[in-house]
């Protein structure tokens, strides 16, 4: 097998401080193969991906290392040669297709620009036929009308396929894909992944696939490199990584990923990766590792070969326990609690257009109801209507035997207290100018709780979400994403609600953090008897957290029932297709 | 597991003002501004003569006890210079303060309501904005008289819509953020959301705009005085001084040149401050390594 991409001992520094953000990265990918670069946010994945193109973010520079694309070493090329190589020899597919395509240019023109920039094809005719060919390869229509469309006239999946077509336009030998399916619905994601797989193997392209989604990795990659705090800690073929992880960190990652094929207790991990410049001399993971001993802090572990194709940097090799991928745990049969919130025949819409039709749900005490669906299915509209944030809805909602008013301002303080909302993005849901303590105690101040009592309640609730009391004086900027989400949950819990509406609360978080938050929510539900509406598009997660599931499509509930039976044995065609499209580690490993 | 007390402590990022103060241009600007304010405070105290005292022949230089000679009426140029900054600075500060406050409030209100109130406020702003700032001030001042209150009101009136538009724009994106939604869901009052959730998150653009408006207010008020609309025509005033002494600039340059320099330095000072602030806000020169 010939090599497509070889990265040797790559190191990148922050110019201002001289701290390395990526260090000792050595990766090679054979032609036609996909290597997934996995790691949590801030681990340096994208930095490595951009370095393959000889590009760095502002303020970051490549300190040492080589990047070979075929026989060409990219980093030693001059600036203008690098520019020629990009797109031609090595190309890049960015994360968000809606912002990476120029909204003012027709897609046909954007595709032609790529070809023209690299002098691909001898005539306009040749280029035109190449564009048709590319569009065909990514399974898009090839007619002129379609090529005359603007990016906004395409769906997210179509946009990303145009992005792929652009990346493959000049037949590069290496392609870097930076989370190309993040933000896409599962069925769209399945199409895009299939396209990527087919394009790379057909044209013998070495692909570096950057992602944090392990199920996608299992689905698409041949090999995996796990990045932690800027260094590769484990590298090997997919099967080894998932069934026999040798590094404790990899093991935690796999254990934290929920899987659609079975009910799985996801396990989180506290702490966070050290930032550049604060990385210890020894193993960076030692401070969070349950196997760590003082030797771990001496030096960065040498590479240990588990097999010819499986390398790990850990001195505790062999002591890492195997992971249970999925277990068909006993389904949660419980006494049905009394209904807390009943929704009957709710229609909702925006400026006169109805997007949610006849939704009826019952949430019982101590129960977690998951509302799942793809984007645009109306699930968030329903949850916002329940939270009193959406004005345009009709139907009835009965909360503790009291009918709810349409918006929060019209509802009684008692009802507002009883239903609390946790937002998707913890970076947006906390006022950056307020301390954590202020944010959490605000709901109490509105009810009229006095100050000393409120501050006691704040400490109390911080403890419930596993944060130290000293966090009350911190500002959101000083917290990590997971900690912020804990604060947001604490704010929702402080007024002792009966129903917690969680709107995609884990989608902005890394998998380990997600697992920890899910853990927390399950505990809270058990201990406080909270009823929960868990809105998500993440089906595997539903299996780990929910008792009952309502599947929404185009504003209607198409299937409803206990989580185990809906996901394990779906009845409706739509649910079946959703579940089939969801990548699964377990299924890929079979 | 090896226990470390905290994996990492993240410093709270310093605010706009503090970051801006690390830039040379802001330091210089603020230094100049403080010096000028100092001059207008100390000036009237150390002035050797009163502002209306005739000390010698008009337009003469080289008079003992009068550093820069006498002006077109025979008054001491140096004393009038020292005294003449105070009213400009006071008027422009008050006008900026008033205009910014009202503008901020209306801008926030417009952003939060997003309905007829918003539409109404914005159209009023458009009407005011259709007049050039100096013309609007001239119109008001010449219709009534150039009392200090009216001058402040006139300049503030033209400042309000400019600040209001900026604040509305900045607040619109803040209003959409989840923490404002969260406050709404908790049942916070509108006023409270306006001042305690939204306002603290637009202080950056507010600071930049206020400092910019201050620069313009100084220029406008000095221009009004130059055009003969000073609150007290006999009192020393940099704008008035330029106008009075510009005719004799060839024989007695100081009477016009000194106030010109003063106004220039003052506006450059405030300009540098607002430039530093806006650079930090826009993310240029991040890291505070100076220019």
């Amino acid at each position: 097998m010939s090599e497509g991409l070889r990265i040797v001992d790559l190191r990148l520094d922050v110019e201002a401080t001289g701290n390395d953000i990526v260090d000792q990265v050595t990766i090679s990918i054979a032609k036609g193969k996909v290597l997934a670069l996995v790691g949590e946010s801030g681990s340096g994945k994208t930095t490595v991906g951009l370095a393959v193109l000889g590009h760095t973010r502002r303020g970051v520079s490549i300190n040492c290392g080589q990047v070979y694309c075929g026989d060409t070493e990219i980093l030693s090329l001059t600036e203008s040669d690098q520019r020629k190589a990009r797109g031609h020899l090595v190309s890049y597919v960015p994360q968000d297709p809606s912002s990476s395509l120029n909204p003012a240019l027709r897609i046909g023109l954007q595709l032609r620009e790529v070809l023209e920039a690299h002098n691909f094809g001898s005539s306009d005719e040749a280029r035109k036929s190449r564009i048709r060919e590319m569009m065909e390869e990514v399974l898009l229509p090839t007619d002129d009308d379609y090529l005359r469309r603007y990016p906004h006239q395409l769906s997210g999946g179509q946009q990303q396929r145009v992005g792929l077509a652009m990346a493959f336009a000049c037949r590069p030998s290496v392609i870097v894909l930076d989370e190309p399916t993040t933000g896409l619905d599962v069925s769209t994601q399945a199409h895009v992944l299939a396209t990527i797989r087919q394009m790379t193997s057909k044209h013998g392209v070495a692909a570096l696939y950057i992602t944090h989604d392990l199920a996608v990795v299992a689905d698409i990659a041949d090999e995996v490199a796990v990045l932690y705090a800027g260094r590769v800690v484990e590298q090997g073929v997919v099967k080894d990584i998932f069934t026999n992880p040798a590094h404790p960190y990899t093991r935690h990652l796999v254990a934290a990923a929920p899987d659609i094929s079975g009910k799985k207790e996801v396990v989180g991990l506290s702490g966070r990766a050290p930032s550049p410049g604060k990385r210890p001399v020894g193993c960076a993971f030692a401070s969070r590792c349950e196997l760590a001993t003082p030797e771990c802090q001496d030096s960065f572990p040498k590479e240990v070969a588990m097999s010819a194709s499986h390398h790990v940097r850990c001195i505790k090799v062999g002591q890492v326990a195997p992971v249970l991928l999925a277990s068909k745990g006993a389904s949660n049969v419980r006494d049905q609690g009394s209904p807390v919130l009943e929704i009957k025949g709710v229609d909702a819409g925006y400026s006169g257009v109805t997007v949610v039709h006849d939704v009826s749900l019952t949430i019982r005490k101590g129960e977690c109801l998951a509302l799942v669906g793809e984007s645009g299915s109306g699930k968030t509209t329903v949850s916002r209507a329940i939270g009193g944030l959406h004005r345009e809805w009709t139907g009835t909602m009965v909360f503790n035997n009291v009918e709810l008013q349409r918006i929060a301002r019209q509802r009684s303080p008692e009802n507002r207290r009883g239903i609390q909302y946790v937002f998707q993005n913890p970076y947006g849901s906390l006022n950056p100018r307020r301390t954590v303590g202020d944010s959490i105690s605000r709901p109490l101040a509105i009810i009229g709780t006095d100050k000393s009592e409120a501050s006691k309640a704040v400490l109390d609730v911080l403890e419930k979400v596993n944060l130290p009391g000293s966090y009350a004086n911190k500002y959101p900027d000083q917290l990590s994403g997971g900690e912020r989400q804990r604060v947001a949950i604490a704010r929702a819990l402080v007024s002792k609600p009966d129903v917690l509406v969680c709107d995609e609360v884990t989608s902005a978080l890394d998998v380990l953090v997600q697992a920890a938050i899910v853990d927390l929510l399950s505990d809270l539900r058990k201990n406080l008897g909270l009823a929960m509406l868990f809105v998500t598009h993440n089906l595997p997660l539903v299996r780990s957290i929910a008792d009952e599931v309502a599947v929404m499509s185009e504003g209607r509930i198409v299937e409803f029932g206990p989580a185990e039976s809906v996901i394990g044995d779906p009845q409706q065609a739509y649910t079946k297709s959703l579940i089939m499209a969801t990548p699964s580690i377990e299924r890929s490993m079979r | 597991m090896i226990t470390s007390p905290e994996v990492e402590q993240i410093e709270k990022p310093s605010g706009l003002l503090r970051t801006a103060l690390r830039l040379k241009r802001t330091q210089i600007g603020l230094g100049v501004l403080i010096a000028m304010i100092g001059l207008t405070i100390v000036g009237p105290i150390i002035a050797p003569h009163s502002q209306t005292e005739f000390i010698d022949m008009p337009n003469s230089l080289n008079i003992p006890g009068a550093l820069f000679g006498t002006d077109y009426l025979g008054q001491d140029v140096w004393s009038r210079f020292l005294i003449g900054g105070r009213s400009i600075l006071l008027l422009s500060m008050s006008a900026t303060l008033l205009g910014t406050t009202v503008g901020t409030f209306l801008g926030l209100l417009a952003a939060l309501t997003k309905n007829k109130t918003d539409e109404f406020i914005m159209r009023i702003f458009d009407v005011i904005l259709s007049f050039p700032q100096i013309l609007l001030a001239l119109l008001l001042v010449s219709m009534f008289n150039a009392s200090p209150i009216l001058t402040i009101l006139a300049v503030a009136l033209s400042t309000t819509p400019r600040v209001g538009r900026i604040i509305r724009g900045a607040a619109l994106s803040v209003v959409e953020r989840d923490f404002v939604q969260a406050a709404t869901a908790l049942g916070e009052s509108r006023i409270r959301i306006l001042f305690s959730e939204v306002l603290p998150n637009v202080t950056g653009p507010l600071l930049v705009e206020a400092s910019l408006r201050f620069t313009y207010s100084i220029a406008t008020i000095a221009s009004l005085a130059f055009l003969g609309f000073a609150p007290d025509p006999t009192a020393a005033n940099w704008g008035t001084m330029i106008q009075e002494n510009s005719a004799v600039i060839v024989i007695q340059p100081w009477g016009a040149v000194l106030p010109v320099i003063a106004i220039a330095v003052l506006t450059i000072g405030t300009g540098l401050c607002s430039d530093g602030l806006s650079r930090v806000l826009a993310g240029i020169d991040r890291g505070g390594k100076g220019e």
Side-chain angles (χ1 to χ4, degrees), chain A residues 140-382:
Chain A
L140 287 175
T142 56
D143 55 288
D144 284 346
D145 270 354
Y146 194 84
L147 288 172
R148 286 179 55 77
R149 288 199 189 180
Y150 288 99
H152 71 264
Q153 293 170 306
L154 311 183
S155 70
Q158 287 172 329
Q159 287 176 351
Q160 194 55 292
R161 271 182 271 169
V162 171
L164 283 175
M166 279 171 87
F168 280 100
C170 299
R171 303 191 200 286
S173 53
V174 174
I175 185 161
V176 177
L177 301 130
D178 191 356
E179 311 222 16
T181 63
T182 307
L184 300 181
D185 284 325
V186 279
S187 39
T188 321
Q189 166 172 289
H191 285 300
V192 172
L193 288 179
T195 311
I196 293 172
R197 203 178 306 119
Q198 189 209 344
M199 298 281 279
T200 47
S201 62
K202 186 173 166 194
H203 299 294
V205 177
L208 182 68
Y209 193 103
I210 296 165
T211 184
H212 64 270
D213 188 337
L214 291 178
V216 169
V217 172
D219 192 44
I220 194 168
D222 302 293
E223 285 178 66
V224 182
V226 181
L227 209 57
Y228 186 77
R231 286 166 170 170
V232 174
V233 293
E234 186 166 2
Q235 198 169 349
V237 294
V238 167
K239 200 158 183 125
D240 285 342
I241 297 289
F242 284 112
T243 55
N244 188 21
H247 197 282
Y249 175 64
T250 318
R251 193 195 171 276
H252 275 289
L253 275 186
V254 178
D259 203 84
I260 193 153
S261 59
K263 189 174 173 65
K264 175 175 171 185
E265 288 282 329
V266 292
V267 187
L269 181 63
S270 60
R272 67 164 85 115
S275 66
K278 302 231 171 108
R279 198 169 51 202
V281 192
C283 176
F285 189 63
S287 61
R288 299 166 77 187
C289 183
E290 63 274 4
L291 296 175
T293 49
E295 303 82 276
C296 289
Q297 295 179 320
D298 292 345
S299 65
F300 182 51
K302 292 212 164 35
E303 202 170 81
V304 181
M306 304 288 290
S307 68
S309 57
H310 187 184
H311 302 274
V312 62
R313 284 179 183 270
C314 177
I315 57 172
K316 301 282 172 186
V317 169
Q319 294 178 30
V320 179
V323 213
L324 207 56
L325 275 186
S327 63
K328 305 263 188 265
S331 58
N332 309 18
V333 184
R334 58 173 76 223
D335 304 332
Q336 295 227 311
S338 52
V340 182
L341 180 67
E342 280 179 280
I343 300 164
K344 284 186 213 121
V346 165
D347 288 353
Y350 293 90
S351 28
V353 184
T354 311
V355 296
V356 170
H357 308 273
D358 194 23
V359 166
S360 300
L361 293 167
T362 305
I363 305 174
R364 292 166 200 284
K365 195 169 165 28
E367 180 190 80
C368 176
L369 171 69
L371 192 59
V372 298
E374 299 187 283
S375 50
S377 61
K379 55 185 192 310
T380 296
T381 310
V382 171

Side-chain angles (χ1 to χ4, degrees), chain B residues 36 39 81 85 218 238 256-268:
Chain B
M36 292 307 287
L39 178 78
F81 167 75
I218 293 169
W238 288 341
V257 169
L258 270 188
V260 163
I261 293 173
I263 292 171
V265 168
L266 186 59
T267 46
I268 288 171

Side-chain angles (χ1 to χ4, degrees), chain B residues 79-99:
Chain B
S79 301
R80 279 178 75 85
F81 167 75
L82 289 173
I83 297 163
R86 192 179 265 187
S87 79
I88 285 191
L89 211 59
L90 270 179
L91 288 180
S92 52
M93 271 180 177
S94 330
T96 313
L97 202 66
L98 181 64

Side-chain angles (χ1 to χ4, degrees), chain A residues 435-438 440-441 454-474 479 483-484 486-491 493-494 520 524:
Chain A
T435 62
V436 164
D438 276 352
I440 297 178
S441 62
S455 60
K456 221 163 75 200
V458 167
L459 291 181
D460 203 43
V461 79
L462 276 174
E463 196 186 311
K464 274 191 196 135
V465 297
N466 303 330
L467 287 177
S470 61
Y471 273 46
N473 298 322
K474 293 196 174 206
L479 309 182
E483 287 169 339
R484 286 185 210 207
R486 280 169 199 271
V487 172
I489 293 171
R491 175 176 60 187
L493 287 179
V494 76
L520 171 71
L524 289 171

Side-chain angles (χ1 to χ4, degrees), chain A residues 543-589:
Chain A
R543 202 160 192 176
S544 294
I545 191 171
D547 304 312
E548 292 199 301
V549 181
V551 182
M552 273 191 92
S553 169
E554 289 169 11
R556 292 173 205 278
I557 291 182
V558 293
E559 188 158 4
F560 178 81
E564 275 306 294
S565 60
V566 169
I567 295 178
D569 180 26
Q571 300 302 312
Q572 299 295 320
Y574 177 75
T575 320
K576 279 181 192 164
S577 70
L578 257 190
I579 289 169
M580 275 316 292
T582 307
S584 152
I585 299 174
E586 162 107 350
R587 221 187 290 143
S588 310
M589 287 308 114

